[in-house]
Amino acid sequence: MDRAAKQAERQRVARQQALHRQAHLDASASAAAEYEDIVEALTGAHRVPRSRIDWLTTSTAREVAVPERQSILEDAAASKFAGYVPGWFARTFGREQKVRDQLADEVLAARAQDDDAHSKAVAAAGARNSQIAAARRVVDRDPDAMVEALEDHSALGSLPFSVEGVDTLLLDGRTIAIVDGLDLEDMPEESVSLLKSGKASIKDLTVGKRLEMHRDAICSAAIRVAVEFLAVLPIDEVEVLMLTDILDRGTGHIQSAPVLHLRATSQALAVLNLSRTQAVAVAERLGGHMDWSKRDGFRAINAAAMGVNL
């Protein structure tokens, strides 16, 4: 019995250790996967399918007439009430009045249903006409309508890992997105990878790697903003000016400055497989203008040279 008890205890300890090892492996795998997700969110925001809102079709649609109220259900209930003839059972057991009261209640309920249906039809017509009116304003390049379209139909508001804010400039036929991008301090300071043993390897990222990741994040955000603008607005070209905090070597202060200017067209993006491309390569192919080095990272560019006065 003593030997059996010791053997059972050894088996229990072995199972417990196995569970601890598995939990550690699972935690390591989870940490490595989470790091990969963060890097993808930072540098792969541009890897999205392209689409386009058809404002022209909506803007040329005929407005919906406000529907008149119908009383189909009420008329049917009233007809049933008017045509009620009590039978022998109702007359004998005094149920006639109860049935008439019930039919009267059904008339009122049917009237309420007709009112509700009419209200919904009026609301639907109003919503459709509002869509048509908004589409016409967007097609006419009304600045307020275009900004509202971006707020309502783009995914710019759900990109916390790419941008911190977007302003829209519409001037002289140009559409310019001024984007407050992420800063170098927003980049991870450590990398997490999974070893063959299943354990997590955590290493400090070198300054050079963080600078490269920052560059990739800025380029990716610029391309994603361009994709969103071209998907939502009835335009064929958009300019994106990325801002980020950098060191002013003259004053020694950190300040927000323009670091990337990108001009993208629908035609140029249409030939690119964004899901398989690196952001820097796309930015270079689109002729993006930036001043970046492996040693110093971003340097400020002259936005005025691109016709943008901040």
Side-chain angles (χ1 to χ4, degrees):
M1 291 177 63
D2 184 58
R3 287 197 299 272
K6 290 182 178 179
Q7 183 179 8
E9 177 63 16
R10 287 195 297 270
Q11 292 175 348
R12 187 192 67 79
V13 171
R15 286 196 300 270
Q16 190 66 34
Q17 290 175 343
L19 289 174
H20 285 166
R21 284 195 299 270
Q22 187 60 46
H24 182 71
L25 292 176
D26 292 342
S28 298
S30 177
E34 183 178 356
Y35 174 76
E36 293 296 329
D37 290 341
I38 291 175
V39 173
E40 178 61 23
L42 288 170
T43 65
H46 64 288
R47 299 189 182 105
V48 292
R50 297 182 63 249
S51 61
R52 191 121 200 212
I53 296 178
D54 185 4
W55 294 105
L56 185 59
T57 298
T58 304
S59 67
T60 55
R62 180 178 299 178
E63 292 187 358
V64 180
V66 178
E68 296 182 358
R69 183 187 182 281
Q70 303 293 323
S71 58
I72 298 175
L73 297 177
E74 182 183 0
D75 291 344
S79 177
K80 183 178 179 181
F81 175 76
Y84 170 66
V85 177
W88 173 87
F89 184 85
R91 293 195 306 270
T92 302
F93 293 95
R95 290 182 51 83
E96 178 179 352
Q97 188 58 44
K98 185 176 181 180
V99 174
R100 289 187 184 279
D101 291 342
Q102 182 179 351
L103 292 174
D105 290 341
E106 291 179 1
V107 173
L108 295 176
R111 182 182 302 165
Q113 287 180 289
D114 286 333
D115 289 339
D116 184 60
H118 180 245
S119 297
K120 290 180 179 179
V122 170
R128 178 56 177 168
N129 290 336
S130 295
Q131 289 178 347
I132 295 173
R136 290 173 180 173
R137 292 173 59 211
V138 171
V139 171
D140 291 338
R141 307 291 178 89
D142 178 81
D144 291 337
M146 294 180 75
V147 172
E148 290 176 6
L150 287 170
E151 293 176 350
D152 295 339
H153 300 284
S154 77
L156 294 174
S158 59
L159 295 175
F161 283 99
S162 300
V163 301
E164 295 183 351
V166 180
D167 289 326
T168 306
L169 293 181
L170 303 170
L171 49 90
D172 301 329
R174 299 164 64 194
T175 302
I176 307 171
I178 310 297
V179 184
D180 186 9
L182 299 181
D183 305 324
L184 179 61
E185 64 181 18
D186 296 319
M187 301 300 109
E189 297 180 351
E190 297 175 330
S191 67
V192 183
S193 59
L194 204 61
L195 301 176
K196 291 183 178 180
S197 63
K199 294 182 179 180
S201 173
I202 301 176
K203 297 180 180 179
D204 290 336
L205 281 174
T206 64
V207 175
K209 288 294 185 182
R210 294 187 72 216
L211 290 174
E212 288 182 0
M213 189 178 296
H214 187 214
R215 176 201 59 187
D216 295 347
I218 291 294
C219 291
S220 180
I223 299 165
R224 177 61 181 274
V225 170
V227 169
E228 294 291 337
F229 269 65
L230 293 173
V232 173
L233 300 181
I235 57 176
D236 294 320
E237 180 179 287
V238 63
E239 298 175 52
V240 181
L241 184 66
M242 297 295 302
L243 310 179
T244 189
D245 286 349
I246 59 175
L247 175 66
D248 186 334
R249 290 169 174 79
T251 64
H253 298 300
I254 300 293
Q255 63 179 14
S256 179
V259 295
L260 170 64
H261 178 265
L262 186 72
R263 180 180 287 106
T265 64
S266 296
Q267 183 178 6
L269 291 178
V271 300
L272 297 176
N273 185 358
L274 294 179
S275 63
R276 296 179 177 273
T277 55
Q278 298 298 319
V280 176
V282 176
E284 292 175 348
R285 181 166 180 175
L286 295 176
H289 177 65
M290 65 178 174
D291 185 356
W292 182 89
S293 68
K294 292 183 178 180
R295 176 182 176 182
D296 302 319
F298 282 111
R299 290 178 178 268
I301 62 174
N302 184 10
M306 271 69 72
V308 182
N309 294 316
L310 299 175

